[in-house]
Amino acid sequence: MRNRLRVLRAERGWSQAELAGRLGVSRQTVNAIETEKYDPSLPLAFRIAHLFTGRIEDVFTPNGGEE
Amino acid sequence: MSEVSACKVSAPWYVHPYFAALLSAGGVILSSLILKRLEPAGLVRIAVALMAVPPSAFMVWTFVRWVRELDELEHHIVFQAVSFAFVTAIVAMIGLEGLEKAQVLPKVGWDTAWVGMVFLYVTGYMWARRRYR
């Protein structure tokens, strides 16, 4: 799954640690999601989406996605 | 590990699987030494032989507690490490048993099995953690 987490985080000027704190996860988790080594669970994906745009598809797209 | 574990520090330092593992290992070593050198008899012998069980049970409890407090990626890593240790230990035991039957190796005791599993878990943990770095 692809994502725009790094871009969205940079737009707000947050560090990985700051975002991790807001999401209640570790910095390593944020880094693994940003580098697309780890796909978050659905609840975490929703938490991320709510924190940024509110729409999950604005943050995450499937690998072969049309967006 | 500390980076992730540091997220939720709610328990005292001694309620941690690493400290509990040290206690457990200490119990095993102490028990072996007493049984070999002092050779106690009767109920004392049984008590000494089971000396490592309470700290080992404490280790299991702290491990479960620690795992519950981890975030989802760390859950994933621990799951992969435990799976790796479990499957590799089975394969290793089958291989060792075969070598024992063929009398290529001397009898391997149970006391080496748990040390091997701890080693395999740590190896699996480091391997899984590297994948998500």
Side-chain angles (χ1 to χ4, degrees):
Chain A
M1 194 159 60
R2 310 207 64 131
N3 70 76
R4 298 178 55 238
L5 191 57
R6 191 184 292 272
V7 175
L8 292 167
R9 178 176 63 78
E11 282 173 4
R12 281 154 182 79
W14 293 341
S15 66
Q16 285 187 340
E18 200 173 344
L19 175 59
R22 287 171 188 267
L23 292 169
V25 297
S26 66
R27 193 200 60 78
Q28 189 195 7
T29 300
V30 170
N31 184 61
I33 295 169
E34 283 189 358
T35 53
E36 296 175 356
K37 288 178 181 171
Y38 174 71
D39 290 334
S41 65
L42 202 51
L44 179 56
F46 272 112
R47 287 213 303 278
I48 292 168
H50 279 285
L51 195 58
F52 290 109
T53 63
R55 279 162 42 95
I56 209 161
E57 56 268 42
D58 290 341
V59 185
F60 298 98
T61 48
N63 268 336
E66 62 278 358
E67 283 185 281
Chain B
M1 196 177 302
S2 55
E3 188 184 311
V4 173
S5 306
C7 287
K8 293 168 186 170
V9 181
S10 52
W13 62 271
Y14 52 83
V15 183
H16 194 284
Y18 295 160
F19 177 72
L22 282 177
L23 279 182
S24 178
V28 171
I29 292 165
L30 197 62
S31 169
S32 301
L33 283 175
I34 293 172
L35 287 174
K36 273 185 188 168
R37 300 207 173 161
L38 302 177
E39 296 184 356
L43 285 176
V44 178
R45 187 171 183 80
I46 294 169
V48 171
L50 298 176
M51 188 185 274
V53 173
S56 301
F58 177 61
M59 180 179 67
V60 172
W61 178 73
T62 55
F63 186 77
V64 171
R65 193 177 186 283
W66 174 70
V67 167
R68 281 184 184 157
E69 288 183 355
L70 298 176
D71 81 344
E72 63 178 60
L73 175 61
E74 195 72 14
H75 269 143
H76 204 66
I77 290 170
V78 169
F79 175 74
Q80 287 185 8
V82 170
S83 303
F84 171 79
F86 182 73
V87 173
T88 313
I90 288 173
V91 173
M93 282 178 193
I94 289 169
L96 287 173
E97 193 186 357
L99 291 172
E100 274 179 30
K101 282 179 184 166
Q103 296 181 333
V104 177
L105 276 184
K107 188 84 180 160
V108 180
W110 282 104
D111 51 343
T112 52
W114 70 267
V115 177
M117 288 195 79
V118 170
F119 173 76
L120 288 171
Y121 170 76
V122 172
T123 306
Y125 186 90
M126 288 164 69
W127 165 72
R129 197 171 166 74
R130 275 181 69 91
R131 288 184 62 192
Y132 299 105
R133 191 172 286 167

